[in-house]
Amino acid sequence: GENVEQHPSTLSVQEGDSAVIKCTYSDSASNYFPWYKQELGKRPQLIIDIRSNVGEKKDQRIAVTLNKTAKHFSLHITETQPEDSAVYFCAASRPGTYKYIFGTGTRLKVLA
Amino acid sequence: GAGVSQSPRYKVAKRGQDVALRCDPISGHVSLFWYQQALGQGPEFLTYFQNEAQLDKSGLPSDRFFAERPEGSVSTLKIQRTQQEDSAVYLCASSLGPGLAGVIPKETQYFGPGTRLLVL
């Protein structure tokens, strides 16, 4: 069935360093890939997304890259700050169904 | 504007009780989704509505789970005869839905704060 794998499960970085989270999806028909940030006890918040007709997208310190051939997509956070500490989820969806298949999450800790 | 809201935020139920969880989507959003999030896990799809039509209920774990959206806006997720394994956060999300093109992808889902259900 449809599956999204996410690595690593936990990631600790020093403030100011970069963080990279990677996801792999199984359904080659997937065409939309959002990333959500979820703080403890809060709702998932969309931070960036990418569609399958684009290879890279940036928004200030956050970027997402997509390799359709390998079915990989990655989240890049530069100049990390303590407030970036949270759990990050990747997801994939395909046309017609619209439901998201989520990864298992990455707990990011930014150490001051 | 107002985001997705859910009530109650917390619910404690005794095993065997029925519960009803409510979701108020963003006004005008055609699509509505329910997800179940176990502790330390990613959300898992339960069911999807387009207006009042339930188009996909493949993620509902058993026939004890039932969802409805009778007027195409507010939705209710009902769990009958709750079991301990039903303990989780239940998230609702809404999106613009198909056929509504614009700058924001129609697939983008906006989540509510969730209802944390604890079954004792």
Side-chain angles (χ1 to χ4, degrees), chain A residues 35-39 41-47 87-89 100 102, chain B residues 6 35 37 41-43 89-93 109-114:
Chain A
W35 284 88
Y36 285 83
K37 175 183 180 182
Q38 188 175 31
E39 298 179 61
K42 301 287 184 64
R43 73 185 72 197
Q45 297 268 17
L46 179 74
I47 56 171
V87 179
Y88 291 80
F89 292 100
Y100 288 174
F102 280 91
Chain B
Q6 293 185 245
Y35 294 86
Q37 186 174 26
Q41 300 296 314
V89 174
Y90 291 85
L91 293 166
C92 175
Q109 295 180 25
Y110 299 90
F111 283 83

Side-chain angles (χ1 to χ4, degrees), chain A residues 31-32 36 38 41-46 49 51 57 89 93 95-105 107, chain B residues 3-4 9 33 35 37 40-43 45 48 50 56 58 91 98 105-113 116:
Chain A
N31 71 336
Y32 178 66
Y36 285 83
Q38 188 175 31
K42 301 287 184 64
R43 73 185 72 197
Q45 297 268 17
L46 179 74
D49 56 13
R51 297 179 66 86
K57 183 177 178 181
F89 292 100
S93 73
T97 64
Y98 302 108
K99 67 182 180 185
Y100 288 174
I101 306 299
F102 280 91
T104 49
R107 182 173 300 278
Chain B
V4 179
R9 292 294 314 280
F33 303 80
Y35 294 86
Q37 186 174 26
Q41 300 296 314
F45 171 78
Y48 159 57
Q50 184 176 317
D56 187 344
S58 62
L91 293 166
K106 56 184 182 291
E107 302 93 334
T108 301
Q109 295 180 25
Y110 299 90
F111 283 83
R116 184 176 298 275

Side-chain angles (χ1 to χ4, degrees), chain A:
Chain A
E2 303 149 332
N3 184 50
V4 175
E5 294 187 357
Q6 183 172 347
H7 300 282
S9 56
T10 61
L11 179 59
S12 293
V13 299
Q14 288 295 131
E15 182 178 1
D17 287 351
S18 295
V20 180
I21 303 170
K22 299 181 179 181
C23 289
T24 303
Y25 58 99
S26 61
D27 185 354
S28 57
S30 297
N31 71 336
Y32 178 66
F33 308 92
W35 284 88
Y36 285 83
K37 175 183 180 182
Q38 188 175 31
E39 298 179 61
L40 190 62
K42 301 287 184 64
R43 73 185 72 197
Q45 297 268 17
L46 179 74
I47 56 171
I48 197 166
D49 56 13
I50 192 168
R51 297 179 66 86
S52 58
N53 58 348
V54 175
E56 183 175 5
K57 183 177 178 181
K58 289 184 180 179
D59 183 4
Q60 300 183 341
R61 297 186 296 109
I62 295 173
V64 56
T65 59
L66 172 65
N67 182 330
K68 282 193 299 182
T69 303
K71 293 189 281 189
H72 288 331
F73 59 113
S74 299
L75 177 71
H76 304 253
I77 306 174
T78 58
E79 301 172 21
T80 53
Q81 302 167 3
E83 52 265 36
D84 294 330
S85 296
V87 179
Y88 291 80
F89 292 100
C90 62
S93 73
R94 61 180 295 171
T97 64
Y98 302 108
K99 67 182 180 185
Y100 288 174
I101 306 299
F102 280 91
T104 49
T106 297
R107 182 173 300 278
L108 174 64
K109 295 181 183 178
V110 180
L111 307 172

